[in-house]
Amino acid sequence: MKMKTFIKYIVFFLMFLFLFSSKSIASIKKEGIENFPESYRPYLYELKRKYPNWEFTALYTGFDWNYVISQEYRNDKNLVPLSYSDYWKCTDNGIYNVEIDKGWVNASRAAVEYTMDPRNFLNEVRIFQFEKLSYDPKINSKEGVEKILYGTEFYNRAVTYRNAAGNYFTMNEKYSDLIWNSGVYSGVSPYHLASRIKQEVGPFISHNSISGSVAGFEGYYNFYNIGATSSTEPLGAIKNGLQFAKDGKGASESVKANLFIPWDNPERAIKGGAVFIGSSYILVGQNNLYLQKFDVNDDRPGNLFWHQYMTNCLAPYSESSSIHKAYSSNGLLNSSIGFVIPIYENMPKYMTENPNIIATDYDTDNTKVYADVTGNLNVRVGPSTSYEILTTITRDVTFTRIKKGKQNGERWDKIELENGMVGYVFQSYIKEVPEKEIQKIDLSIDNKIINVGSTANVKIEIEPQDAKKDVIWSSSDENIVIVENGLLTAISPGTAIITAQNTSGTVKATIEIIVEQNASKIILSKDDMQILKGDSIKLTANILPENTTNKNLVWVSQDTNIVDVTNDGIITAKETGSTQVIVKWQKDNKIQAKCNITVKDKNPNIVLEFSKELRVEADEISKIDIEKSKVREIKKLINTNLNVEIYKEGKLLSEDEKIGTGTQLILKDANQNEVYKYVFIIYGDVNGDGLINSLDVLVLQKHILEIKEITGIYKKAANISKNGRLPNSLDVLKVQKHILETKFIEQ
């Protein structure tokens, strides 16, 4: 990692100081290959066979695969070089080839899926993006630190340094001692610290960041170039880093003490920098390069999918190669090394394909083949000798070709070994095992109706049973359901025909599949409501998810003597009293929502008129002028012979205090009995403080990310569009424009 990477470290470290310590979604770690899904195991067993000292930990994130991809496939979050082919780049209108950073554009969904599928990188080289970066006494050793430092001036060398007065000192400790002790103290892998020092300031001790002799910063050291932001001034980046080493660039005294600032000797610099690196990423769940790029495991709520210091989606892929080279050149590959590898729910059966591998270059196949070689045949990650080797097989081994290459020139086939490992072999080196032709195909399924997001298996029977299994599966509409080797994945509501046929198309069978989206929840525009006798008001019901197939609802009044309700949600108050209106999903009455209704009588002796400057609907008051929202100003807009009191969270507000969303207007008679109660709404004021600012943006974002749901009247205030729908990213944008004064929210 170069100096500019630490610019992002600074930003995220400051964010860390304000966040909580509990996880949003609990992940589970299980050590041992046997605890991985079957699609991971063959690759890990192959690595374990070659490197017995390597240890693998399964990180069950708890996230659904499609959900993770939807969170990462967002504008500006994952980039690829502009020079890459269109298969790597997002080609949407208005986004295609628009440079987010110089020479970098938004990645395609295929690129995000490929780089996020851990199974694509379970080979000797790319596995290092999953290397555990926290300290582990079972794996780390001081001798290993020295091996990493080999080839630099830090290797086997006592620490010497100068102070601000120009005096030189020699310590009893070597650089490897300081790095080792810092790793133990900070909880960060000493191997990672040694590697990062090599990348940032190595191999020479004379590097300006650690020479102690830069004018104006004599006697200060920064081994990791923390805070070394870019600058056009000569040695500007170095000086920025040394300024951080000197005073923490404005950090609080407690933070500086925690980081051992000032870094006026190598020991404080190496140790304090290690604490910085650990607290920013490694010790909060992002314990390897992959997790630092794709934040799917974070101990701090609100950070998931956002606390990511890399935007290049291939950064872990590239850096893993550099790490492997360092381990290999220093003879460390046979050392004890730990890897933490993420796992998602509902992952595809096969790992996602490299975008460079074009689907039209292959025909789906299911042919038994064998290696037609005298020695060994290499099975590679991709269809070229430039891809890493997964394993080797001999002539005696039979396996299945699942995709047959038809590329121009050198042809490669995609194969699956008996142990489940999938890779590519050179087509000229394999031959088919003779099999009988298919005479009949029968398809069946337990239930033809499946729900969006779920999977189901189509059962297939082939006659004769020993016929070759080269069946081609297809869906009449892959926007509705996709099929791969009989496994159905429901994408969206609709009907599709699944077909299985032999390669010649002479024998086939079909089955109809109906995909439905079930409702999971109903959300009402109000949970509690006061209404005057004789008045009517419409309740809005939102069904989640929004693409639910059957949107039919049943509205019921618990007491029709008090209120009636139509099938459109229009409530009419008939008699004073209290009751509930319940709305149920027609298909499943267990999915329902309730609104508590209080009907009050219209008293002819009571004067109550609201200014036309306000909007009054049932018990809600909106259209508030934020600049005139003090209690005394609001009272001027109400003409009544009742006592007017305004409360916020049960506290009576003074004349000079401002109202906000959720503030209550209570009208009382001469005996201080409550007669009517109203609630104020300021659209955009989601947290109820009467202001529209960045705090409201944060509340909205947490709601959209399903971290903390907005409820009650605040949910209505969050629907800036006033279309009765649930708050979404468009509402966030409207609040941001209001804050930037580019377009104010209409109340």
Side-chain angles (χ1 to χ4, degrees):
M1 183 186 301
K2 298 302 180 184
M3 288 184 290
K4 63 182 181 180
T5 302
F6 276 94
I7 301 172
K8 299 184 179 71
Y9 260 136
I10 292 287
V11 174
F12 289 121
F13 179 69
L14 293 176
M15 289 173 60
F16 165 75
L17 300 178
F18 298 98
L19 295 172
F20 302 104
S21 60
S22 60
K23 284 189 68 66
S24 296
I25 295 180
S27 59
I28 300 174
K29 292 181 180 179
K30 297 181 180 180
E31 295 184 358
I33 298 175
E34 68 278 4
N35 289 309
F36 281 83
E38 290 184 7
S39 60
Y40 284 68
R41 292 179 198 170
Y43 309 96
L44 298 178
Y45 279 127
E46 177 68 15
L47 290 172
K48 188 72 172 179
R49 180 190 65 78
K50 191 172 183 180
Y51 300 106
N53 293 322
W54 289 9
E55 300 296 334
F56 305 99
T57 299
L59 174 65
Y60 284 84
T61 64
F63 288 118
D64 179 85
W65 169 254
N66 291 316
Y67 171 74
V68 168
I69 298 302
S70 70
Q71 294 301 307
E72 287 291 342
Y73 181 53
R74 296 188 176 188
N75 292 347
D76 308 347
K77 188 174 283 191
N78 283 282
L79 308 181
V80 294
L82 177 62
S83 59
Y84 273 34
S85 72
D86 285 354
Y87 296 108
W88 286 90
K89 298 184 291 188
C90 178
T91 56
D92 293 348
N93 291 333
I95 298 177
Y96 175 52
N97 276 352
V98 175
E99 291 184 276
I100 306 304
D101 199 356
K102 187 175 181 180
W104 294 85
V105 297
N106 278 301
S108 66
R109 184 181 180 92
V112 174
E113 290 178 342
Y114 169 70
T115 52
M116 286 203 72
D117 191 338
R119 299 169 299 180
N120 284 316
F121 312 111
L122 303 182
N123 60 73
E124 178 181 319
V125 176
R126 307 303 172 184
I127 188 74
F128 280 92
Q129 64 185 273
F130 306 114
E131 181 189 5
K132 184 165 65 173
L133 301 182
S134 58
Y135 168 66
D136 189 337
K138 296 183 296 183
I139 295 174
N140 302 136
S141 69
K142 194 180 296 184
E143 293 75 17
V145 174
E146 282 288 7
K147 286 185 178 182
I148 292 176
L149 296 177
Y150 183 78
T152 72
E153 292 184 354
F154 303 102
Y155 174 70
N156 199 29
R157 182 165 182 166
V159 179
T160 59
Y161 69 97
R162 58 166 287 178
N163 63 9
N167 300 316
Y168 285 87
F169 300 88
T170 299
M171 301 177 63
N172 293 326
E173 291 88 352
K174 299 178 182 179
Y175 283 98
S176 59
D177 294 321
L178 298 189
I179 294 171
W180 171 259
N181 293 336
S182 297
V184 174
Y185 178 84
S186 66
V188 178
S189 164
Y191 294 177
H192 179 59
L193 297 178
S195 299
R196 194 165 295 284
I197 288 172
K198 284 180 63 175
Q199 293 174 29
E200 295 293 339
V201 299
F204 305 112
I205 294 176
S206 58
H207 191 285
N208 284 318
S209 292
I210 57 172
S211 67
S213 59
V214 174
F217 299 95
E218 292 87 349
Y220 292 100
Y221 301 82
N222 193 332
F223 280 79
Y224 310 100
N225 277 324
I226 296 172
T229 55
S230 300
S231 172
T232 56
E233 177 191 356
L235 292 181
I238 299 294
K239 290 180 179 179
N240 284 336
L242 292 175
Q243 187 69 52
F244 188 88
K246 185 176 182 179
D247 59 15
K249 285 188 176 180
S252 68
E253 291 303 317
S254 61
V255 170
K256 289 193 286 187
N258 188 48
L259 298 179
F260 299 97
I261 291 174
W263 294 342
D264 50 10
N265 64 52
E267 182 176 15
R268 292 176 69 89
I270 293 174
K271 190 174 184 179
V275 172
F276 182 96
I277 293 171
S279 60
S280 296
Y281 286 91
I282 296 171
L283 302 183
V284 294
Q286 296 176 266
N287 196 16
N288 58 38
L289 292 174
Y290 177 98
L291 294 174
Q292 290 177 15
K293 170 63 194 87
F294 303 113
D295 185 10
V296 297
N297 186 64
D298 200 309
D299 292 335
R300 300 158 299 179
N303 273 10
L304 287 165
F305 307 110
W306 292 103
H307 187 242
Q308 303 178 167
Y309 76 82
M310 310 172 195
T311 51
N312 175 10
C313 66
L314 279 167
Y317 175 91
S318 301
E319 292 192 32
S320 61
S321 177
S322 301
I323 297 171
H324 174 265
K325 288 179 182 177
Y327 274 89
S328 179
S329 61
N330 291 305
L332 292 171
L333 287 178
N334 288 308
S335 304
S336 294
I337 306 175
F339 302 93
V340 179
I341 305 169
I343 296 164
Y344 306 104
E345 297 176 4
N346 300 317
M347 297 182 73
K349 178 180 179 181
Y350 294 112
M351 66 274 282
T352 51
E353 205 73 90
N354 186 315
N356 286 332
I357 300 173
I358 304 171
T360 55
D361 283 345
Y362 298 86
D363 285 330
T364 302
D365 198 42
N366 189 35
T367 304
K368 284 291 183 181
V369 293
Y370 66 93
D372 187 24
V373 292
T374 55
N376 292 327
L377 176 62
N378 291 327
V379 179
R380 295 184 178 272
V381 174
S384 166
T385 54
S386 63
Y387 287 94
E388 293 84 14
I389 296 173
L390 287 170
T391 188
T392 57
I393 52 178
T394 65
R395 183 183 180 88
D396 296 330
V397 175
T398 60
F399 46 95
T400 304
R401 177 171 60 198
I402 56 178
K403 287 189 178 181
K404 187 175 183 179
K406 55 180 181 180
Q407 312 93 332
N408 293 325
E410 187 177 88
R411 293 187 175 183
W412 290 74
D413 291 343
K414 188 174 185 179
I415 60 101
E416 181 176 7
L417 302 181
E418 293 297 324
N419 64 2
M421 183 179 288
V422 175
Y424 289 83
V425 296
F426 191 39
Q427 191 177 94
S428 299
Y429 293 155
I430 63 174
K431 284 188 176 180
E432 295 184 8
V433 176
E435 290 184 299
K436 296 179 181 179
E437 293 294 328
I438 296 175
Q439 300 297 321
K440 184 181 179 182
I441 300 174
D442 285 323
L443 300 179
S444 63
I445 192 170
D446 292 337
N447 191 343
K448 292 184 178 182
I449 302 175
I450 57 178
N451 191 38
V452 170
S454 64
T455 59
N457 283 299
V458 177
K459 300 173 185 177
I460 183 170
E461 292 185 5
I462 295 175
E463 294 181 8
Q465 292 185 356
D466 58 348
K468 58 183 180 180
K469 305 300 188 292
D470 53 348
V471 174
I472 300 173
W473 293 86
S474 62
S475 169
S476 62
D477 192 338
E478 292 192 341
N479 292 317
I480 295 174
V481 61
I482 59 176
V483 58
E484 187 171 4
N485 292 331
L487 176 65
L488 304 177
T489 302
I491 305 299
S492 61
T495 300
I497 303 298
I498 302 301
T499 301
Q501 62 183 19
N502 62 1
T503 54
S504 63
T506 56
V507 181
K508 67 174 63 176
T510 61
I511 189 169
E512 182 183 74
I513 300 297
I514 300 171
V515 177
E516 294 185 348
Q517 175 64 70
N518 286 338
S520 60
K521 189 176 184 180
I522 298 174
I523 298 178
L524 287 172
S525 54
K526 290 181 71 68
D527 299 323
D528 294 277
M529 183 170 59
Q530 172 186 287
I531 185 171
L532 296 179
K533 181 179 176 181
D535 287 353
S536 296
I537 189 170
K538 180 178 175 61
L539 269 181
T540 301
N542 289 290
I543 303 177
L544 295 182
E546 293 183 353
N547 65 337
T548 297
T549 306
N550 182 345
K551 295 182 180 292
N552 293 328
L553 298 173
V554 177
W555 295 81
V556 177
S557 170
Q558 290 289 77
D559 190 336
T560 56
N561 292 319
I562 297 176
V563 297
D564 274 337
V565 60
T566 69
N567 284 334
D568 295 326
I570 298 175
I571 296 171
T572 301
K574 298 169 62 180
E575 189 56 71
T576 58
S578 297
T579 187
Q580 284 185 331
V581 167
I582 303 175
V583 57
K584 305 176 182 179
W585 187 38
Q586 186 184 55
K587 187 176 178 181
D588 185 352
N589 287 337
K590 294 180 181 178
I591 298 174
Q592 59 178 248
K594 300 177 181 179
C595 179
N596 298 313
I597 309 288
T598 300
V599 177
K600 293 199 171 184
D601 206 351
K602 293 181 179 178
N603 190 332
N605 297 320
I606 292 177
V607 176
L608 178 58
E609 296 176 347
F610 292 93
S611 168
K612 292 183 179 180
E613 294 181 33
L614 301 175
R615 182 188 300 113
V616 181
E617 295 177 323
D619 58 354
E620 296 175 356
I621 303 175
S622 59
K623 203 177 176 183
I624 310 296
D625 185 343
I626 300 179
E627 301 301 323
K628 300 178 181 179
S629 60
K630 290 184 178 180
V631 169
R632 65 161 46 88
E633 293 164 332
I634 296 298
K635 285 183 177 180
K636 292 177 182 179
L637 303 177
I638 305 170
N639 177 29
T640 182
N641 58 356
L642 297 172
N643 295 322
V644 179
E645 296 180 355
I646 297 179
Y647 291 83
K648 183 176 182 179
E649 296 178 351
K651 174 195 170 187
L652 179 65
L653 298 184
S654 66
E655 296 292 304
D656 288 323
E657 290 186 275
K658 294 172 67 71
I659 71 162
T661 297
T663 303
Q664 291 184 325
L665 167 67
I666 298 180
L667 303 173
K668 298 181 179 180
D669 61 20
N671 297 320
Q672 285 300 97
N673 297 314
E674 179 184 311
V675 180
Y676 301 126
K677 181 165 63 177
Y678 297 84
V679 64
F680 291 99
I681 300 174
I682 297 177
Y683 289 95
D685 173 27
V686 187
N687 66 348
D689 61 2
L691 304 172
I692 302 175
N693 54 29
S694 57
L695 291 177
D696 299 298
V697 174
L698 181 61
V699 173
L700 274 166
Q701 289 174 334
K702 287 185 175 181
H703 174 85
I704 294 170
L705 294 173
E706 298 181 3
I707 296 171
K708 186 175 181 181
E709 182 182 3
I710 302 172
T711 59
I713 197 67
Y714 304 100
K715 185 178 294 180
K716 190 166 185 177
N719 180 219
I720 317 299
S721 304
K722 305 183 191 69
N723 55 10
R725 301 184 67 178
L726 298 176
N728 54 35
S729 56
L730 181 60
D731 297 305
V732 176
L733 180 61
K734 289 185 181 239
V735 174
Q736 291 171 331
K737 286 184 176 181
H738 180 96
I739 295 170
L740 296 173
E741 299 184 358
T742 58
K743 186 175 181 181
F744 292 106
I745 294 172
E746 294 182 5
Q747 294 297 328

